[in-house]
Every structure is written in C-alpha cells, then in structure tokens.
Amino acid sequence: MRRMAAGLLAALALAVSGCAAIAPADETPRIVVTTNILGDVVQSVVGDEAEVLTLMKRDADPHSFEISAQEAASLGDADLIVSNGLGLEEGLQQHLDRAEAEGARMLAAGDVVDVLPYAEGGAPDPHFWTDPARMVEVVDALEAAVADIPGIDSAVVGGNADAYRSELATLDEEMTAAFAAIPEERRALVTNHHVFGYLADRFDFRVIGAVIPGGTTLAAPSAADLRDLAGAIEEAGVPTIFAESSQPDRLVQVLASEVGIEVDVVELFTESLTEPGEGADTYLTMMRANTERISQGLS
C-alpha cells in the first residue's frame, strides 16, 4: 500500500509539474485595439507574436460604437492597449480612461503623429490615417511599444514593421500619382463630416466643407449650415460630393438638391473597414479604393 501511495504521489507530482511547464505557452501576449483600421495595422505588424483583439466591429462608426462588459474587462488583461485618441472613440473613452488610471499600458496613435486642427476651430482632427505618411509614424511607435513585452520576438515584429512601412511607401506613391492627374481647380472635397483634412494637407486638396459640422458624426447640420455649404459648393464648382460608407448619404443627397445643380454623390470608405469582399477589408485596400473613387469623381 505504501508503495502504491508513493507511486500515486509521484504521478501526481509529475502531472502538476507538467502542467506548470506548459502553462506559459498558453499565456500569449494580448494587444487590445479600439478601431478596426488600427486593428488591421497592428495585426500586420505584430503578426503571430501576440493575440490582437479589435473592439470595433466592421462597418461601425468609431464615434458612437460601444463595447460589452466582457470587452471592457479585457482592457485590464491587455499587455498593450492601442487607441486612436484625439477624441475619436467617444463611446469608449470612459473605459480607456479607467484602464489607464488602473495602470494599463497605452499607445494612443494620435499622440505620435503631427496633429492638424479642424479648419473651423482649434480642436484636433483625429482622422490622421487618411495620410499614409503619418501611418508610418504609427508603425514606428507600435514597433517600439511591443519590443519589450514578454513573449514577443522583437526581431520578428521588426521585420513585419519594415515590410508594412514598404507597403505604406508604395501606397503613398500611388496616391501621389493618382491625385497629380486631377486638375488643380478640381481638387475640392465635400464629405458627410470633416474626415479628409490630413489627406488634403498631404496631397494639396481644398476642403470646401462638410454636411455635418465639426469632426463627429454625432452632430447635426442646421438649415443655415446647409445653405452656407451649398453656396460654397456652387462657388467652387464642385462636381462630386463624397458620402461615407458607415453613414447613410441622405444628408448629402439633401445638400445636393439644395445646391440646385447636378452634383454626383460617391461613396467612400473612411472610418471603418468592411467585411471581406465588400471593398475595404484592409487599411491598404480602403485607401486604394478611396484614391480611385476620388480621382474619378473629381477628374
């Protein structure tokens, strides 16, 4: 009996020690990302070195999307939280503030780029991803932020980051060439709300205005706002108004009728990725689709 008991104890000890040995393999580093645009970029850079959890669903609005209690709790377990910042995640900010107060490691992409203000005021514009050159700065900051997270091979991440920076450089060249073909007098943008300030700054466009005032989709235009913008569009001779895929284009259609002239309405992918096969399932695909549609709409 003593020999049997000793054997059982030995087997139990071996099982316990075996479990302890394999436990760390299950502790994959976790990175939680707020928006799906940044989620795609983070996944491309990190690869298989970490689990990437993106909170914002595809085809959602970053200004208003909310998360479940379980998703909110996941912020506390993250090795790194990557957010857009600059006030974009309005429905999520309380959770981000709480996680930061509790000591979570944070990377707000808006903190590492050269920020532009909105044309009509001093508030920062959070839509920096419309300029691929600024996304290079985000990749640089991400590479540095994950370098010392236990379990992540910084050499692998560095290789992924180099490859993605090359992709961004190619995208920048393509956009530069496409927009250079648009006559200067036609480089005028009107959208649902102000989202193309960085693209305009990088590629020499004029932002005539937006149907929804300010930088959030949660605002609403007044009749006076529509009349003023209609006058500006008519004066500038804008041939096309761009509506965002995450928002209905009803307001843009109303504005087009207010102008009283023939104005095309073209849908763009601006603040959210789509499901695969729907035109903008990655950041690079989204930017290329928008470049083609803007070029065709204004040429």
Side-chain angles (χ1 to χ4, degrees):
M1 289 291 291
R2 285 183 182 175
R3 226 181 260 128
M4 185 180 297
L8 289 172
L9 288 173
L12 179 60
L14 180 62
V16 170
S17 64
C19 289
I22 65 172
D26 296 330
E27 295 176 2
T28 305
R30 169 178 281 197
I31 300 175
V32 177
V33 190
T34 56
T35 71
N36 54 46
I37 291 174
L38 283 177
D40 175 64
V41 175
V42 171
Q43 186 67 74
S44 296
V45 172
V46 174
D48 296 330
E49 293 301 300
E51 175 191 359
V52 177
L53 173 63
T54 300
L55 298 177
M56 178 182 162
K57 304 299 185 288
R58 291 173 181 265
D59 295 310
D61 183 342
H63 296 278
S64 59
F65 85 99
E66 297 180 351
I67 59 176
S68 67
Q70 182 178 1
E71 289 171 323
S74 71
L75 294 172
D77 299 328
D79 292 281
L80 177 67
I81 299 171
V82 180
S83 65
N84 188 93
L86 303 178
L88 182 76
E89 301 100 331
E90 297 173 66
L92 193 60
Q93 195 58 52
Q94 60 176 329
H95 301 296
L96 295 174
D97 291 343
R98 184 182 303 114
E100 185 172 19
E102 293 173 355
R105 187 172 184 179
M106 314 286 289
L107 172 60
D111 290 346
V112 303
V113 301
D114 181 18
V115 177
L116 296 176
Y118 284 119
E120 72 274 15
D125 184 346
H127 305 95
F128 53 79
W129 62 83
T130 60
D131 174 9
R134 282 177 167 86
M135 292 300 277
V136 172
E137 298 173 356
V138 175
V139 171
D140 292 344
L142 176 63
E143 181 184 5
V146 304
D148 58 352
I149 294 177
I152 289 183
D153 188 332
S154 60
V156 173
V157 172
N160 293 342
D162 286 342
Y164 201 76
R165 278 187 285 260
S166 179
E167 294 266 22
L168 291 171
T170 299
L171 172 65
D172 191 273
E173 292 170 1
E174 292 174 1
M175 293 176 69
T176 299
F179 293 148
I182 302 174
E184 183 176 352
E185 66 275 10
R186 282 180 170 261
R187 294 188 191 178
L189 294 171
V190 179
T191 57
N192 274 48
H193 80 286
H194 287 289
V195 71
F196 284 113
Y198 291 92
L199 181 145
D201 179 70
R202 174 71 180 80
F203 299 104
D204 196 25
F205 282 82
R206 290 172 292 132
V207 178
I208 298 300
V211 179
I212 301 175
T216 172
T217 55
L218 304 183
S222 66
D225 290 330
L226 290 175
R227 284 195 300 270
D228 290 344
L229 184 54
I233 290 172
E234 197 163 26
E235 182 179 350
V238 173
T240 302
I241 298 172
F242 297 102
E244 297 153 78
S245 62
S246 63
Q247 292 289 317
D249 68 353
R250 181 181 59 83
L251 289 175
V252 179
Q253 297 285 5
V254 169
L255 177 59
S257 64
E258 279 284 329
V259 175
I261 58 176
E262 188 67 28
V263 179
D264 292 330
V265 178
V266 173
E267 183 182 85
L268 296 181
F269 308 103
T270 55
E271 294 194 306
S272 178
L273 301 183
T274 66
E275 296 292 344
E278 294 184 5
D281 58 342
T282 71
Y283 168 72
L284 298 173
T285 302
M286 178 187 78
M287 294 298 291
R288 288 190 168 97
N290 287 340
T291 298
E292 180 179 1
R293 294 182 185 195
I294 291 172
S295 298
Q296 291 178 349
L298 298 181
S299 295

